[in-house]
Amino acid sequence: DALVALPASGLHSNGFSLVRCILRAAGLEYSQPAPFDPTKSLGQALLPPARVYVKPTLAVARMGLLRAAAPVASGGLARCLNDVLPAELAASVRADAWELPAIFRWIAAVGKVQSSELASTFNCGLGMLLVVAPQHLEQALEVLREHREEPLVVGELVRREPGAQALALEGAEGAWLMLPELGVSLPFPGVLSSLHDPWTVSRKRVMVLAGKEDVSPVKALLQATAFPASAAALVAVASPRADCLALKLARSAGVKDVVLGGGRLSESPEAIDFSSQLEEAMRSVQADLLLVLDDVSPSLLTRSFLSHHVGRIAVVHASLLPAFPDPSPVEAALRSGVRVTGCTVCFAVPPVSLGAGGHCFGPIILQEPVRILGTDTVETLRGRVVAEGEVLAVPRALLSISSGSVALRHDDGSYSLAESTSFTEAAAEETL
């Protein structure tokens, strides 16, 4: 018997948990243009109306041409026939019988999803499978076309070997990554084509600079960057203090920990010496980006260091800038009597660009507000700024930088935030 497939309109209703994880880890937004179809937003590309196959399927069935039918839904393509076929039969499906839609190739590349997992999660471009006897095949195809379908013969039923699955997908490793533009096949899933955004596939190597506080967003950062599809890879956590909690968290997660200056910089370090040690640490782990947490004073970063790495350093500050830009912003917020504070993640820029204040705070990437309670002390408010603000804002801001969703633009001596859909666009616009 032949296997006839009816094309799907998109993901339909399955696989969205995995898609959400991939997009979140890659730092992508649903509102930005889809890398594989810039005429639509990612949200639009992921949510086309699902097709319903009642009329064409009933038409074939009423003419006595249909032996079995199964929607490609829960369990994906790989398991859609489990409840349809008898134990002695299996479906042999040829992956080269149809072209894997661009959205699935993009998901596979960005999420590093193997072909077997892709087939067990998604419909892979097929919404319905019909089993038709070979002597009725041409007639069934004609009926389906009359109902405005574009049926595909994708395989046939074969004898099932003991212990084998109900559906065997043949040739997916090569056929699904065949690039029509080039006529070549590349190893799955490590592929970059015109359909894929190289910034989201190539992970940015990140070093985190932490201080003495026992509460920090380091654990959230470790979790956010551990996912293979993350646009950022946390390669090291550095601190001038050997007893820093962030270093312990890094070690427990298998991430390199670096004690700057061997611990001699823990008390009143000189900015020049500190920046020199930090430069050496970044070079040793080949860090692309530096994230400075709010328990490290940005004043320890020299103008020369900031200028050399402009666009590659983000700093966290425990207030909603421009409010309370000086050191000890939590204490300042409590003294002022304001009822809302929070955290800010911004690019670091050379202080000379910001006037006499001397702060290195550049364009703001993300902020998260936190309410101040009447019972708050410095300790409790500091803890809630981290738990309710930084844990959310810092990983998201880091992934936005790493994915190229945001970048730093330098025009005529001033800095501004550039929102880009990809690294290619950022490079074309000469953002940093």
Side-chain angles (χ1 to χ4, degrees):
D1 288 346
L3 283 173
V4 178
L6 303 182
S9 57
L11 273 65
H12 286 190
S13 58
N14 292 283
F16 281 94
S17 294
L18 178 57
V19 169
R20 282 194 296 270
C21 288
I22 291 173
L23 265 64
R24 183 166 57 247
L28 301 176
E29 299 289 342
Y30 293 106
S31 59
Q32 72 184 68
F36 49 88
D37 184 358
T39 65
K40 301 176 181 177
S41 70
L42 261 176
Q44 291 171 328
L46 290 167
L47 290 174
R51 296 195 60 209
V52 179
Y53 305 93
V54 173
K55 290 182 179 180
T57 304
L58 283 178
V60 176
R62 285 167 178 162
M63 295 183 68
L65 307 176
L66 187 62
R67 289 198 168 179
V72 187
S74 179
L77 178 61
R79 294 194 286 267
C80 66
L81 293 174
N82 284 6
D83 297 329
V84 174
L85 298 182
E88 67 275 12
L89 294 178
S92 176
V93 175
R94 300 183 300 273
D96 61 358
W98 77 100
E99 184 177 340
L100 186 71
I103 188 171
F104 295 109
R105 287 199 279 162
W106 181 80
I107 288 171
V110 175
K112 297 179 174 62
V113 182
Q114 297 296 326
S115 60
S116 56
E117 185 179 0
L118 201 70
S120 64
T121 306
F122 301 102
N123 62 47
C124 301
L126 306 181
M128 192 82 175
L129 286 184
L130 310 177
V131 180
V132 179
Q135 65 270 24
H136 297 150
L137 179 58
E138 291 304 321
Q139 187 180 1
L141 294 176
E142 183 179 348
V143 172
L144 291 169
R145 293 187 186 110
E146 289 174 355
H147 284 76
R148 300 182 180 180
E149 290 291 342
E150 297 179 0
L152 302 164
V153 180
V154 297
E156 58 279 326
L157 297 189
V158 297
R159 184 173 300 279
R160 191 191 307 195
E161 299 296 329
Q165 299 297 317
L167 187 146
L169 188 61
E170 308 293 341
E173 296 288 335
W176 279 1
L177 288 190
M178 180 66 68
L179 307 181
E181 305 91 342
L182 303 179
V184 297
S185 180
L186 299 175
F188 197 102
V191 57
L192 291 177
S193 76
S194 59
L195 296 174
H196 303 138
D197 186 339
W199 184 269
T200 61
V201 177
S202 177
R203 305 179 74 189
K204 292 295 153 184
R205 298 174 62 84
V206 179
M207 172 180 278
V208 171
L209 178 60
K212 63 181 180 179
E213 293 290 345
D214 288 338
V215 287
S216 80
V218 169
K219 187 174 181 179
L221 285 166
L222 289 167
Q223 293 173 341
T225 57
F227 191 67
S230 172
L234 185 51
V235 296
V237 175
S239 176
R241 305 178 64 92
D243 59 349
C244 171
L245 177 63
L247 296 184
K248 298 176 183 177
L249 291 174
R251 284 194 295 269
S252 65
V255 174
K256 182 177 179 62
D257 62 297
V258 179
V259 181
L260 298 176
R264 62 180 175 81
L265 300 176
S266 59
E267 300 295 337
S268 303
E270 293 289 334
I272 294 178
D273 193 12
F274 187 91
S275 292
S276 175
Q277 293 292 324
L278 186 56
E279 180 77 51
E280 182 179 337
M282 290 181 65
R283 190 182 304 116
S284 69
V285 296
Q286 298 178 315
D288 301 307
L289 301 172
L290 175 67
L291 178 66
V292 182
L293 299 186
D294 65 1
D295 55 354
V296 177
S297 174
S299 64
L300 292 172
L301 307 180
T302 64
R303 181 176 291 116
S304 174
F305 180 86
L306 291 169
S307 298
H308 180 66
H309 294 287
V310 69
R312 301 200 295 134
I313 304 175
V315 294
V316 183
H317 191 70
S319 78
L320 297 175
L321 292 173
F324 313 119
D326 295 318
S328 306
V330 174
E331 292 90 330
L334 285 173
R335 285 196 304 268
S336 72
V338 298
R339 307 315 300 164
V340 176
T341 186
C343 67
T344 300
V345 186
C346 60
F347 280 109
V349 297
V352 66
S353 66
L354 296 178
H359 301 296
C360 70
F361 303 130
I364 292 172
I365 301 167
L366 202 62
Q367 292 182 310
E368 190 70 31
V370 176
R371 289 183 60 190
I372 298 178
L373 306 179
T375 56
D376 267 329
T377 63
V378 171
E379 290 73 21
T380 61
L381 182 56
R382 161 71 188 168
R384 290 198 306 105
V385 166
V386 173
E388 299 176 19
E390 294 182 9
V391 164
L392 299 175
V394 176
R396 186 176 178 186
L398 176 62
L399 295 175
S400 294
I401 301 169
S402 301
S403 68
S405 296
V406 298
L408 184 66
R409 179 183 282 117
H410 186 194
D411 293 318
D412 300 325
S414 64
Y415 296 93
S416 60
L417 193 68
E419 297 189 20
S420 305
T421 59
S422 66
F423 174 71
T424 303
E425 179 181 321
E429 295 181 355
E430 297 184 350
T431 51
L432 301 175

